[in-house]
Amino acid sequence: MLKRHARAACTALAAAGLLLAATGAAATAAPADSAGTGRPQKSASATLHTADAPPELLAAMRRDLGLTPTQAKARLAHEAEAGATAARLRDRLGAAFAGAWLDGGDAGTLTVATTRAADTASIRATGARAKLVGRSLADLDTAKAALDRAATAGTPVRYVDPRGNTLVVEETRPGAAAALLAATGTDAALVTVVRTAEAPRLLYDLRGGDAYYMNGSGRCSVGFPITKGTVNGFATAGHCGRAGTTTSGFNQVAQGSFQASVFPGNDMAWVAANANWTATSFVKGSGGANVQVTGSVLQPVGASVCRSGSTTGWHCGTIQQHNTSVTYPEGTISGVTRTTVCAEPGDSGGSYISGSQAQGVTSGGSGNCSSGGTTFFQPLNPILSSYGLTLKVTGTDPGPGPGDPQPGGTWKAGSVYAAGATVTYGGASYRCIQGHQAQTGWEPPVVPALWQRL
């Protein structure tokens, strides 16, 4: 008898899109067809289906963020619209861009930082707040990269804090950060040192959503179901297994094996399932209910993020920083996202989702779900891109019918596009403003939340 493919272990991030003209209300009306495609353009919130947030997600946001279902849906819509505005401004500001973040219980306030005073008027014209700062995001990222190469367990976490326009280094013992700065020649004026009593650890014993077991012993969690050609499988964390590691499902039935894995450096892997398992477009919600996945658009700093774990159930929090580096005792990883969502042993590899947008897979963290904690996830899009995987999604637009013209160009459904990538479609050129895996219904002319026409 065919079994359902194991679903998600953590839940995560959200949507992205255009900034609301009025931050107190969600703009869901689709813009008129300005691209001459015969199909209306979609607002960011419509593209990312924020109005269809499942009850399990809304219940978790009520418990952990204190939001009613109406408030939670409004917040998801605000996050979607603000994410696209932030992406457009980042593209427009170029080297002067210094970060963007959301504030307010409804995520209704977007702030965009720049090092160039002349940019502030154009930022405010979008409805966002402007902040003039002394250091660009690129400069701080460059300084962080130097620290990453020399970091030890004494300085386990490094990240850029756009709100403070500073590079944060967490240290577990006095003097560890100072020694790191001295060893790398980093200007101390760039850095804020934070003492921490907890060191991140890998979450081998955590499970989120449906569990799976490696070589009949250790346990991790399924991230997001995927396909690769005709093969069904799932994305998960690299520290859970190496290529060739066999897996069994939550029911201890033989499931498949790891096909590729990276850890340290990154924390990514994928498992190919056998014919008894079928990939679905769900993560496991409260009480075992299915939560649909419709895409993989990364959400900005300050946005809500939720996680589903088989040990701790559903929990929510917010995104703190992207492009964080973490040094575990087992090695250093970079490019992960830091969140306030709690986790406990068993959730490693599991899925993060916001609204209906897949975000990433659990790497590790500190704390617990009684006193609170911090977790880190490996973003999903680099996993899809690295291994040529296709995220299983539902609710996509069928696209042109069999008699409709098929526009030529380089854009292709299934490809993973990073911000800044360019494509052609229907004789026009477009630049990606928010990283995502392309799908039918998200063609560049109709999703201005994801693509900017050149």
Side-chain angles (χ1 to χ4, degrees):
M1 182 167 80
L2 294 179
K3 308 292 184 183
R4 278 292 184 193
H5 186 65
R7 303 180 183 96
C10 307
T11 335
L13 292 169
L18 304 168
L19 181 68
L20 302 176
T23 57
T28 57
D33 174 26
S34 63
T37 63
R39 302 169 68 193
Q41 291 185 323
K42 299 178 181 179
S43 69
S45 54
T47 297
L48 304 182
H49 301 280
T50 61
D52 300 324
E56 296 76 24
L57 177 67
L58 299 178
M61 293 179 74
R62 176 194 286 273
R63 181 194 62 209
D64 296 332
L65 298 176
L67 302 176
T68 67
T70 298
Q71 291 170 331
K73 287 185 178 182
R75 175 169 181 138
L76 292 172
H78 290 179
E79 292 169 352
E81 304 298 340
T85 295
R88 290 193 185 93
L89 286 169
R90 178 171 187 161
D91 185 62
R92 186 185 308 164
L93 300 181
F97 179 76
W101 59 93
L102 296 172
D103 289 306
D106 62 354
T109 302
L110 170 66
T111 302
V112 177
T114 179
T115 60
R116 196 165 48 212
D119 293 330
T120 57
S122 62
I123 292 172
R124 294 189 186 101
T126 69
R129 291 181 177 177
K131 184 174 182 179
L132 185 63
V133 297
R135 309 176 188 107
S136 71
L137 184 62
D139 288 341
L140 292 173
D141 279 341
T142 298
K144 186 180 79 69
L147 299 183
D148 291 347
R149 290 189 289 269
T152 66
T155 51
V157 178
R158 288 86 50 206
Y159 56 83
V160 172
D161 175 15
R163 287 184 173 92
N165 193 227
T166 188
L167 174 56
V168 177
V169 176
E170 295 186 1
E171 64 176 9
T172 57
R173 61 178 186 275
L180 177 61
L181 299 187
T184 57
T186 301
D187 183 358
L190 298 176
V191 177
T192 298
V193 177
V194 176
R195 286 295 306 279
T196 179
E198 297 179 333
R201 68 199 186 282
L202 298 175
L203 304 176
Y204 283 103
D205 297 329
L206 295 174
R207 48 175 179 153
D210 286 335
Y212 70 91
Y213 300 85
M214 300 83 72
N215 289 335
S217 56
R219 183 185 71 214
C220 274
S221 300
V222 173
F224 287 94
I226 53 85
T227 58
K228 183 166 184 168
T230 60
V231 175
N232 289 265
F234 58 89
T236 190
H239 74 263
C240 289
R242 296 300 184 211
T245 298
T246 59
T247 67
S248 56
F250 65 93
N251 51 8
Q252 299 286 5
V253 171
Q255 181 188 67
S257 63
F258 279 72
Q259 301 301 294
S261 175
V262 176
F263 179 84
N266 298 117
D267 199 358
M268 60 174 70
W270 81 281
V271 171
N274 61 41
N276 290 331
W277 296 80
T278 301
T280 73
S281 57
F282 304 119
V283 300
K284 186 177 181 180
S286 178
N290 291 331
V291 176
Q292 293 189 344
V293 177
T294 66
S296 61
V297 180
L298 192 64
Q299 184 66 359
V301 168
S304 60
V305 51
C306 297
R307 180 191 59 76
S308 170
S310 59
T311 299
T312 57
W314 279 67
H315 290 274
C316 296
T318 57
I319 298 171
Q320 296 300 287
Q321 286 85 26
H322 294 304
N323 193 28
T324 298
S325 298
V326 181
T327 299
Y328 300 117
E330 296 85 349
T332 294
I333 61 172
S334 296
V336 295
T337 296
R338 179 174 179 261
T339 80
T340 64
V341 185
C342 67
E344 296 179 9
D347 290 322
S348 272
S351 56
Y352 281 78
I353 190 169
S354 177
S356 63
Q357 297 301 299
Q359 298 297 309
V361 301
T362 304
S363 175
S366 58
N368 57 52
C369 287
S370 296
S371 59
T374 298
T375 54
F376 306 91
F377 69 78
Q378 163 70 53
L380 179 63
N381 284 326
I383 305 178
L384 301 177
S385 179
S386 295
Y387 301 133
L389 310 176
T390 300
L391 177 67
K392 285 287 289 186
V393 297
T394 57
T396 58
D397 190 301
D404 295 332
Q406 303 293 321
T410 59
W411 180 89
K412 183 180 180 181
S415 295
V416 177
Y417 295 107
T422 57
V423 299
T424 57
Y425 184 89
S429 296
Y430 297 85
R431 180 166 50 242
C432 177
I433 59 172
Q434 295 193 90
H436 65 284
Q437 183 168 55
Q439 56 182 273
T440 301
W442 284 8
E443 293 82 4
V446 299
V447 283
L450 304 179
W451 293 98
Q452 176 71 49
R453 185 166 178 164
L454 301 177

